[in-house]
Amino acid sequence: MGYRMYFVVEDDPAVADALESLLEGAGLEVCVFGSAEELMRNGLPKANDTMIVDLGLPGMSGGELVRRLGKVGAAPRVIAISGKSSRTIAREVEGINDIKILRKPPSADWLEAITA
Amino acid sequence: MVKVDDRNTTVNEARFESLLDTAADGIIVMDERGRMLVFNKICETMFGYSSEEAVGKPVNLIMPPEFSTDHDRYVRNYHRTGEKRIIGIGREVSGMHKDGTVFPLELSVGEAVTPEGRQYIGVLRDLRPRRAVEVRVSQLQAQVVHMTRLSAMDEMGAAMAHELNQPLTALLLYLQAVTRQIKNSHAEGQVPSEKVLGVLDKAVTEAERASHIVQRMRQMVEKRDPERATIDLREVVNEALDLSEFVAQSATVTIRRVYGPNPIWVDADATQIQQIVLNLLRNALEVAKESEERWVKVSIGSDDRSAVVSVTDSGPGFSEEVSRSLFKTFSTTKKSGMGLGLAISRAIAQNHGGDLMADSGGSGQGATFTLVLPVHRAAVDEG
């Protein structure tokens, strides 16, 4: 098993911090960004990394970020989180393959869902 | 000669009788000693006595006992000093029906000097129907406020759900993290670390954030009777601004608050005033969103008579035509029916003894809506 980073892209500081606590508590390497733009400026995730991205980011949306990363050849495993309706989510991730969706608020253990 | 005079008197009397009976108000004529000389038809229905029963009796007959002693004193006082307390002024008094029912009356009194001495003419109006209308209007207004609040909630519903989602998500994740860490330390025979307590603290903060949102929602939705209190206008407006800022969190319009450091006391129903401010703010934000500078300014000020809340947006202002129809019920330039909101807002303001005004702006100036309320006065006047 290779070196894996967990990228969290979430604009709500509390949600981001809670995710970081959860992942770090499990001994995982975590990097948190408040926006898609911030992530793009700070080095892109690689294929064996995992990116947990809020779909409803201000500025560049989560869906847009995933599509951009796909275009530049950076294709991490993607887990999208969203509090919106399933129809909105479906529209936002249209055309993106292999995307796992976690809905806010969590109804199950997210660590298991993220590391599975 | 004598005969003509007699006939004139008869004609005059007939006219007078007919005048008394056609009058829409109760009319009583009373002599110097407080005895009733005339008791018209309206008085008969108002008080339940026939004219025959009443005429010749003291006027105290139709007053509640606690008033009749006062009345005697007033009359004596007037005869002695000539100081007019009611004559030519008119005031609200209580009357008593034959069956004992006490009711509010508007009474105006005139005085006539006759060869038989001074006589007083009282014109009376039963205030109960007017009171009933006033109460009904206030009830309806509260109902409409409740309805607009509900429709505002409808619009806000999605935003609120989104806002609730964040603290709940964070809370659950913190708890998941803590649970894991405690399980791990337990397995290794250690006590939970400081770090665990820190995470728990954060979890509590998020739970509080969520419950705050629910409390605010509940305050918005709960129906209640209008409640006047002496309140600091700045505080009330601030709360409304916080609420809409938090609903419009992702919006890019800046809300500027321009207040002085001192409290501004007004006697008002805080929720209704917030309703007005929310309404104005919602309009302003919508306009400002489409403008270049994207700001809304809310300023509060006062002088010794009135307090003022002004909401100005960075939009282009509106045309003469629009400003004329602005406060008409159901008129709106938008789909969401804001016109109703403005008409109601103005009605509420006027109900508080204030008003709601619009300055249409234009030529580089945004529109300004100004809510005026009378400032709180410590009980000054007596009687």
Side-chain angles (χ1 to χ4, degrees):
Chain A
M1 178 146 160
Y3 179 70
R4 280 179 86 169
M5 275 282 278
Y6 286 82
F7 289 76
V8 171
V9 195
E10 164 66 60
D11 62 308
D12 186 285
V15 174
D17 183 64
L19 255 177
E20 193 179 9
S21 301
L22 183 69
L23 298 174
E24 274 185 352
L28 302 171
E29 192 89 20
V30 187
C31 218
V32 175
F33 300 98
S35 69
E37 289 81 356
E38 196 187 331
L39 173 103
M40 305 276 282
R41 279 198 303 272
N42 285 278
L44 303 176
K46 298 180 191 66
N48 58 349
D49 291 332
T50 299
M51 181 172 76
I52 302 151
V53 58
D54 184 0
L55 286 177
L57 293 171
M60 190 195 297
S61 75
E64 176 79 38
L65 173 65
V66 176
R67 281 187 209 96
R68 287 270 185 102
L69 291 182
K71 268 185 211 152
V72 297
R77 194 168 77 98
V78 176
I79 297 168
I81 55 181
S82 174
K84 296 194 182 144
S85 69
S86 52
R87 198 187 304 173
T88 311
I89 294 175
R91 199 173 54 234
E92 283 175 346
V93 300
E94 213 183 332
I96 302 172
N97 299 320
D98 293 333
I99 187 164
K100 182 169 191 163
I101 313 275
L102 292 178
R103 296 182 66 176
K104 295 182 193 175
S107 54
D109 191 312
W110 270 19
L111 184 66
E112 275 170 22
I114 290 168
T115 53
Chain B
M1 280 302 270
V2 174
K3 274 191 177 152
V4 173
D5 256 4
D6 268 359
R7 207 170 56 215
N8 276 346
T9 311
T10 322
V11 168
N12 280 340
E13 262 170 21
R15 276 191 196 140
F16 184 57
E17 289 290 319
S18 137
L19 177 70
L20 286 177
D21 289 345
T22 347
D25 291 327
I27 297 174
I28 290 173
V29 179
M30 176 185 101
D31 69 12
E32 231 166 355
R33 287 174 357 206
R35 276 190 321 203
M36 292 184 278
L37 305 173
V38 167
F39 195 78
N40 80 338
K41 272 226 166 67
I42 295 288
C43 280
E44 292 183 332
T45 18
M46 206 183 283
F47 295 102
Y49 295 100
S50 69
S51 173
E52 290 75 32
E53 282 176 284
V55 168
K57 299 266 171 53
V59 73
N60 306 24
L61 179 72
I62 53 164
M63 292 178 189
E66 65 269 27
F67 276 79
S68 73
T69 11
D70 286 345
H71 183 257
D72 292 345
R73 200 155 41 81
Y74 292 147
V75 174
R76 274 200 308 276
N77 187 56
Y78 174 60
H79 288 159
R80 207 176 53 243
T81 65
E83 186 193 337
K84 290 181 178 172
R85 288 284 181 82
I86 187 163
I87 293 168
I89 305 166
R91 65 167 50 168
E92 197 184 315
V93 297
S94 294
M96 190 171 73
H97 190 269
K98 194 178 183 180
D99 66 9
T101 311
V102 174
F103 59 96
L105 279 173
E106 192 181 79
L107 169 67
S108 31
V109 178
E111 187 183 11
V113 182
T114 73
E116 293 153 30
R118 273 194 279 211
Q119 295 189 352
Y120 303 99
I121 298 105
V123 179
L124 306 108
R125 183 169 297 172
D126 188 346
L127 284 175
R128 280 173 298 183
R130 198 200 291 172
R131 285 290 144 76
V133 169
E134 279 167 7
V135 167
R136 185 83 192 113
V137 165
S138 138
Q139 279 170 349
L140 285 174
Q141 223 162 39
Q143 218 167 322
V144 174
V145 166
H146 177 62
M147 268 154 39
T148 49
R149 208 177 301 157
L150 283 186
S151 90
M153 279 304 295
D154 211 34
E155 282 169 39
M156 288 190 221
M160 291 275 192
H162 177 70
E163 290 309 314
L164 264 179
N165 247 334
Q166 308 288 28
L168 283 177
T169 301
L171 170 62
L172 285 161
L173 294 179
Y174 281 134
L175 291 177
Q176 288 178 6
V178 164
T179 309
R180 239 163 235 286
Q181 283 172 29
I182 289 178
K183 271 187 193 152
N184 288 347
S185 29
H186 191 70
E188 292 161 23
Q190 295 164 341
V191 286
S193 64
E194 281 294 311
K195 207 169 155 191
V196 168
L197 290 176
V199 175
L200 272 178
D201 268 350
K202 290 181 187 171
V204 170
T205 307
E206 291 308 303
E208 283 168 354
R209 181 176 151 200
S211 77
H212 244 100
I213 293 169
V214 172
Q215 280 164 14
R216 281 171 153 173
M217 284 170 77
R218 204 159 45 204
Q219 276 168 12
M220 286 290 291
V221 177
E222 269 173 7
K223 189 176 174 177
R224 52 176 201 77
D225 293 328
E227 243 172 56
R228 292 284 170 92
T230 305
I231 49 176
D232 181 3
L233 192 57
R234 297 173 319 152
E235 213 170 280
V236 169
V237 171
N238 244 336
E239 245 171 59
L241 296 194
D242 286 348
L243 185 66
S244 58
E245 232 168 21
F246 127 100
V247 167
Q249 225 169 36
S250 50
T252 46
V253 177
T254 318
I255 301 180
R256 296 181 194 158
R257 307 181 190 203
V258 187
Y259 321 155
N262 300 320
I264 296 172
W265 301 109
V266 293
D267 294 317
D269 181 299
T271 311
Q272 291 193 341
I273 298 307
Q274 284 180 344
Q275 200 58 36
I276 299 180
V277 173
L278 277 176
N279 218 322
L280 296 182
L281 208 64
R282 220 150 32 126
N283 287 354
L285 285 172
E286 201 135 307
V287 174
K289 215 162 58 189
E290 307 298 323
S291 73
E292 206 162 301
E293 293 179 28
R294 297 187 183 205
W295 53 259
V296 168
K297 187 177 77 182
V298 179
S299 31
I300 305 178
S302 69
D303 56 29
D304 54 345
R305 299 180 131 252
S306 30
V308 176
V309 182
S310 299
V311 179
T312 308
D313 61 60
S314 57
F318 39 76
S319 69
E320 272 293 299
E321 197 185 327
V322 172
S323 77
R324 262 199 302 277
S325 65
L326 212 50
F327 287 97
K328 280 190 197 142
T329 313
F330 300 119
S331 116
T332 177
T333 54
K334 277 175 273 148
K335 292 185 206 92
S336 47
M338 247 358 50
L340 181 61
L342 273 182
I344 292 165
S345 296
R346 171 174 267 182
I348 294 170
Q350 289 172 347
N351 223 14
H352 279 81
D355 205 353
L356 180 62
M357 278 113 45
D359 175 352
S360 55
S363 55
Q365 285 276 305
T368 299
F369 285 86
T370 304
L371 167 67
V372 182
L373 292 171
V375 292
H376 169 72
R377 319 193 130 236
V380 192
D381 57 320
E382 249 284 325

